Structure formats: structure tokens, C-alpha cells
């Protein structure tokens, strides 16, 4: 639960002052960064939903608000960059296809993947998730930058909307 605590919450614990609390927060941040660096060297191409989910699981499963990430891929499905396009509430994040495709075109992506977390831990897609995915998919087909998948991260679990057959690429 270290990644869920704030500095004031850590300082409430006996024996943890401001400096020690900051050190503990730094340890949590560093462990996430090291884990992600090691994972990136193992999976540079994002062709399988389980590889994508594994790459982002530790970063996103602990978040207490929904975050929507946009993964920008080249022609070989190698990650060019990821961008957090929305930070929402405990059960919603707000973004539009327009915002997503502005970023995709700016970085010359050949394909995109949407990725967001469900703080509840249950990755089951909501009706809103499915409707939003369809709107982004339609926009991408018009622009020639296809939506390849939309993955929802839960607590050590994920759902790929493409694998579920909710949309076709």
C-alpha cells in the first residue's frame, strides 16, 4: 500500500517524520521506474494485449483515479510514446476522439491503443467504455490511423476489448 499513501498519511505512523516519509515515497517511485525500464527492454513491440497489460500493470493498477493513456505505435507496432490524455475521477475519465487524434497525428503514429485503469480493480468494460471505443475507432478509420485495441487495467487483471470482440480492427 506504499504507493497509495500521501506524505501526511506516512507521517501519522510512529517513527516516520517528514524526511523519512519523503524517502519512502521516493523508494516507491524509483521501484516503479526501475520495473518499467526492465519491462521496456523485454517488450518493445506491442502486438499482444497481455504484453501491453503486463507492461503497464504496476503503474496503473494502484491509481485511485481513472487515467486514460494513448499508446502511439509505428508501422511495426513498436511504442513511439505514451501520453496520458485524461486523469479523471474514481469511475470516469474524460477525453474526446479529437484530443486523441491530435496527439496521434502530431507524433505521426501509424496505429494507436487506448489504455485505462479501473480503480475498483474490476476491469470489466462499462457501457461508456464501449461507446467511447467505438467513437475513437470510427474516427481512426476515417483518418487512416486505426485503433488497434482498448485495454482496461484492473487489479492484476485486464480486459482487451478487441479480444472480447467488442470491435474489430
Amino acid at each position: 500500500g506504499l504507493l497509495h499513501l500521501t506524505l501526511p498519511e506516512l507521517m501519522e505512523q510512529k517513527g516516520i517524520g517528514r524526511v523519512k516519509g519523503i524517502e519512502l515515497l521516493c523508494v516507491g517511485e524509483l521501484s516503479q521506474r526501475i520495473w518499467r525500464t526492465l519491462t521496456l527492454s523485454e517488450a518493445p513491440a506491442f502486438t499482444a494485449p497481455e504484453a501491453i497489460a503486463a507492461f503497464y500493470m504496476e503503474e496503473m493498477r494502484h491509481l485511485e483515479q481513472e487515467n486514460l493513456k494513448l499508446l502511439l505505435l509505428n508501422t511495426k507496432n513498436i511504442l513511439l510514446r505514451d501520453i496520458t490524455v485524461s486523469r479523471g475521477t474514481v469511475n470516469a475519465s474524460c477525453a474526446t476522439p479529437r484530443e486523441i487524434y491530435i496527439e496521434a497525428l502530431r507524433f505521426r503514429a501509424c496505429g494507436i491503443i487506448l489504455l485505462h485503469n479501473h480503480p475498483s480493480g474490476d476491469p470489466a468494460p462499462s457501457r461508456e467504455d464501449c461507446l467511447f471505443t467505438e467513437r475513437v475507432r470510427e474516427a481512426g478509420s476515417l483518418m487512416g490511423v486505426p485503433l488497434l485495441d482498448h485495454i482496461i487495467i484492473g487489479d492484476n487483471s485486464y480486459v482487451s476489448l478487441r479480444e472480447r470482440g467488442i470491435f474489430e480492427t
Side-chain angles (χ1 to χ4, degrees):
L2 179 63
L3 298 176
H4 292 287
L5 298 176
T6 63
L7 182 58
E9 290 171 330
L10 285 169
M11 291 171 55
E12 290 175 3
Q13 304 301 314
K14 183 178 179 185
I16 299 179
R18 181 171 174 75
V19 172
K20 187 61 69 183
I22 291 171
E23 288 173 345
L24 288 170
L25 292 174
C26 289
V27 167
E29 177 67 23
L30 285 172
S31 67
Q32 279 187 322
R33 289 182 186 194
I34 290 168
W35 178 86
R36 187 157 183 215
T37 302
L38 294 174
T39 308
L40 180 59
S41 66
E42 296 168 3
F46 283 159
T47 54
E50 61 270 6
I52 299 164
F55 184 78
Y56 286 97
M57 185 65 67
E58 282 307 305
E59 174 185 348
M60 296 192 73
R61 74 186 186 105
H62 299 292
L63 298 174
E64 295 175 357
Q65 295 175 303
E66 277 198 15
N67 279 248
L68 176 66
K69 284 192 174 288
L70 171 62
L71 310 183
L72 304 172
L73 308 174
N74 70 11
T75 55
K76 295 182 179 182
N77 289 341
I78 294 175
L79 183 66
L80 297 170
R81 72 177 47 221
D82 65 23
I83 300 168
T84 300
V85 291
S86 173
R87 284 187 175 87
T89 64
V90 249
N91 62 355
S93 64
C94 301
T96 65
R98 178 181 183 276
E99 293 168 303
I100 287 166
Y101 281 100
I102 284 172
E103 295 296 336
L105 294 172
R106 183 168 83 164
F107 293 104
R108 294 175 172 74
C110 295
I112 65 168
I113 295 173
L114 296 175
L115 179 75
H116 82 275
N117 66 306
H118 279 178
S120 69
D122 179 6
S126 67
R127 181 176 183 274
E128 291 77 20
D129 292 337
C130 296
L131 292 172
F132 176 69
T133 301
E134 182 57 26
R135 287 179 47 226
V136 173
R137 189 196 65 74
E138 288 173 358
S141 67
L142 289 172
M143 300 180 82
V145 183
L147 173 63
L148 304 174
D149 204 347
H150 184 168
I151 298 170
I152 303 170
I153 301 285
D155 188 18
N156 278 323
S157 58
Y158 76 94
V159 167
S160 159
L161 273 62
R162 186 185 66 184
E163 282 183 338
R164 287 258 177 115
I166 293 174
F167 77 95
E168 297 296 321
T169 57

